[in-house]
Amino acid sequence: MTAPAAPGAGVRHVQDLAVEGKRVFVRVDFNVPLEKGTRKISDDARIRATLPTLRHLIDRGARIVLGSHLGRPDGQVKPELSLEPVAARLAELLGSDVTLADEPVGDGARKVVSDLRDGQIALLENLRWNPGEEANDEGFARQLASYCDVYVNDAFGTAHRAHASTAGICKLVGEKGAGFVMAKEVEILGKLLGEVDRPYVAVLGGAKVSDKIEVLDALLERVNSILIGGAMANTFLEAQGKSLGKSKVERDKLPIARNFLRKASEKKIPIHLPVDVVVATSLDDAEGSKGVSVDAIPADAMALDIGPATVEAFRKTLAAARTVFWNGPMGVFEKPKFAAGTFEIARALADNKLALTVVGGGDSAAAIMQAGLADKVTHVSTGGGASLEFIQGIDLPGIAALRG
Ligand code: ADP
Ligand code: MG
């Protein structure tokens, strides 16, 4: 089998682009969570993540035009999804002015861009206010392209979407490349697609088998073993004939789960399922929660976390690993009583200093941050869906568009 070209091959880094005095459009991912009502930003990590690229461009005297989406306005002007709070927060973080255009494209946007001087920043309004963004409309892409001489994509979280600002615009701008966030994602996630140090262990969990079966199938071709927890494990356990009580189980996915276990056993790739779980009669029944063997789940109980024996077994496998990819919490980590399994797995990754340890997935990233261990692993991906598609070996449209 010949190895495919690395995903980052042919993609230039912003450091290697001629940006001095040029208008540079930067596609960023400012899709931050906003508190309802007050519209206060509850987590500004995505804004902070872009600072290295923005500071680099400011230092080199580029005229910076930022574009992002926020939420799902579905092609309509929705004032509650204005980027106004983002512009304010960004200005605070950079300690410089950020001019917000009152529209994604149009006379107002054009004016704001043409007023830019070297080292200054303008932010276009929510790109998804215009239906052309998600439709990858050529006319809309042309308008965006008319605001810049150079294109930089730093929005890895949107790289799996072929939209006007991630794909269409790239055909219309000669000088283009990846920002610091994008380049790092491609470099580190790209390692998981090449030759890795072994054992390579994948930890999969989260809500549904149906969301992740393609990821599981793809990982089966690359890893040495897979640890499965979370609600996903429930479906696998039931597929093996266990009684799961009232646990979340995808009954219609039992054949898929059985088929996967059969394929894994043919390939001699061990799949480790929980041997014990933390159960309760409901999500709010913290007092009644207890650890039980997966062979003794009461009929009125639901499995909400992996148990201590499972944590111990998973820890051992993870301690011996030299490459780890983790996606999907081991339990309902949003509730402290059911967070231990997830946090222990986070700790196991953090403790393994010899391994390349990569975390992908929106809730998984949130979980390792909550555990306070995000800076103790090699990489926490900023992309949820994008990171999962990437590690399946899919050539993401937003990355493909940066080549050539
Ligand atoms: P990611 O965003 O990292 O890909 P998912 O979205 O697949 O992860 O799954 C995260 C969700 O799965 C969390 O909200 C968590 O509460 C839920 N979950 C995990 N384990 C269980 C369980 N045993 N029962 C019910 N929900 C669970
Ligand atoms: Mg999720």
Side-chain angles (χ1 to χ4, degrees):
M1 202 172 80
T2 53
V11 176
R12 296 168 70 198
H13 195 286
V14 61
Q15 287 171 309
D16 304 320
L17 302 176
V19 299
E20 285 80 3
K22 296 282 170 54
R23 297 170 307 156
V24 181
F25 181 93
V26 189
R27 179 47 161 108
V28 286
D29 180 2
F30 286 164
N31 186 29
V32 293
L34 294 179
E35 283 170 20
K36 285 207 182 68
T38 64
R39 296 207 306 135
K40 265 185 61 183
I41 297 168
S42 49
D43 179 0
D44 65 1
R46 284 181 168 164
I47 305 176
R48 288 177 186 276
T50 64
L51 296 179
T53 296
L54 301 185
R55 291 205 174 106
H56 174 82
L57 289 169
I58 293 168
D59 289 348
R60 292 178 62 197
R63 306 176 175 204
I64 304 160
V65 183
L66 301 176
S68 176
H69 71 286
L70 176 63
R72 299 174 184 272
D74 287 330
Q76 285 167 3
V77 176
K78 296 232 167 109
E80 69 276 19
L81 291 175
S82 162
L83 284 166
E84 206 185 318
V86 172
R89 187 80 191 100
L90 179 62
E92 236 172 79
L93 289 169
L94 284 171
S96 59
D97 287 342
V98 174
T99 313
L100 179 65
D102 59 2
E103 53 189 1
V105 294
D107 293 341
R110 181 176 311 282
K111 170 90 171 63
V112 164
V113 172
S114 66
D115 286 348
L116 281 176
R117 292 166 182 243
D118 293 359
Q120 291 187 336
I121 301 190
L123 172 61
L124 302 176
E125 255 299 359
N126 194 337
L127 297 175
R128 290 191 190 169
W129 278 4
N130 189 304
E133 166 63 357
E134 288 181 86
N136 196 12
D137 174 69
E138 194 181 328
F140 183 67
R142 251 179 221 297
Q143 281 180 288
L144 294 177
S146 74
Y147 303 153
C148 68
D149 313 297
V150 178
Y151 172 85
V152 172
N153 193 339
D154 214 19
F156 177 73
T158 330
H160 58 319
R161 306 282 180 232
H163 292 167
S165 69
T166 61
I169 187 174
C170 295
K171 296 199 195 96
L172 306 165
V173 183
E175 183 91 346
K176 60 196 174 195
F180 285 80
V181 172
M182 178 71 94
K184 186 168 182 215
E185 293 277 6
V186 172
E187 182 205 328
I188 300 195
L189 293 174
K191 286 185 186 178
L192 298 178
L193 297 176
E195 290 293 324
V196 295
D197 290 341
R198 292 180 183 275
Y200 177 7
V201 178
V203 191
L204 266 287
K208 290 181 179 170
V209 176
S210 45
D211 287 349
K212 309 271 174 78
I213 188 67
E214 284 95 359
V215 181
L216 279 167
D217 278 338
L219 286 169
L220 202 52
E221 304 297 321
R222 303 183 195 276
V223 301
N224 299 101
S225 65
I226 302 180
L227 315 179
I228 300 181
M232 179 189 275
N234 297 344
T235 303
F236 280 99
L237 289 167
E238 188 154 306
Q240 290 187 327
K242 314 269 186 221
S243 300
L244 271 290
K246 289 199 301 171
S247 305
K248 196 166 163 182
V249 173
E250 289 176 280
R251 297 256 138 67
D252 58 329
K253 296 297 176 296
L254 294 175
I256 287 180
R258 278 190 203 106
N259 188 37
F260 177 80
L261 292 173
R262 188 183 44 75
K263 267 191 297 186
S265 108
E266 278 166 18
K267 286 181 169 293
K268 301 198 166 47
I269 304 293
I271 308 296
H272 300 281
L273 295 171
V275 293
D276 62 344
V277 286
V278 176
V279 297
T281 54
S282 82
L283 270 176
D284 300 312
D285 175 29
E287 299 83 62
S289 72
K290 59 180 179 190
V292 298
S293 153
V294 292
D295 294 308
I297 299 174
D300 66 343
M302 37 178 39
L304 296 169
D305 193 8
I306 55 175
T310 305
V311 166
E312 210 30 59
F314 284 12
R315 272 193 79 85
K316 276 211 184 91
T317 305
L318 289 169
R322 290 299 170 265
T323 303
V324 181
F325 176 71
W326 175 27
N327 166 262
M330 298 289 101
V332 183
F333 74 100
E334 297 91 341
K335 300 262 177 186
K337 197 74 200 181
F338 311 113
T342 300
F343 289 177
E344 289 290 337
I345 293 307
R347 164 73 54 198
L349 261 69
D351 286 347
N352 188 336
K353 300 294 177 213
L354 299 175
L356 174 79
T357 45
V358 180
V359 182
D363 292 292
S364 313
I368 195 154
M369 273 181 239
Q370 262 182 50
L373 297 169
D375 59 347
K376 299 283 189 293
V377 293
T378 311
H379 184 61
V380 179
S381 177
T382 55
S387 64
L388 294 184
E389 288 197 23
F390 189 102
I391 65 130
Q392 287 172 55
I394 296 172
D395 194 18
L396 307 187
I399 297 169
L402 293 177
R403 292 193 202 106

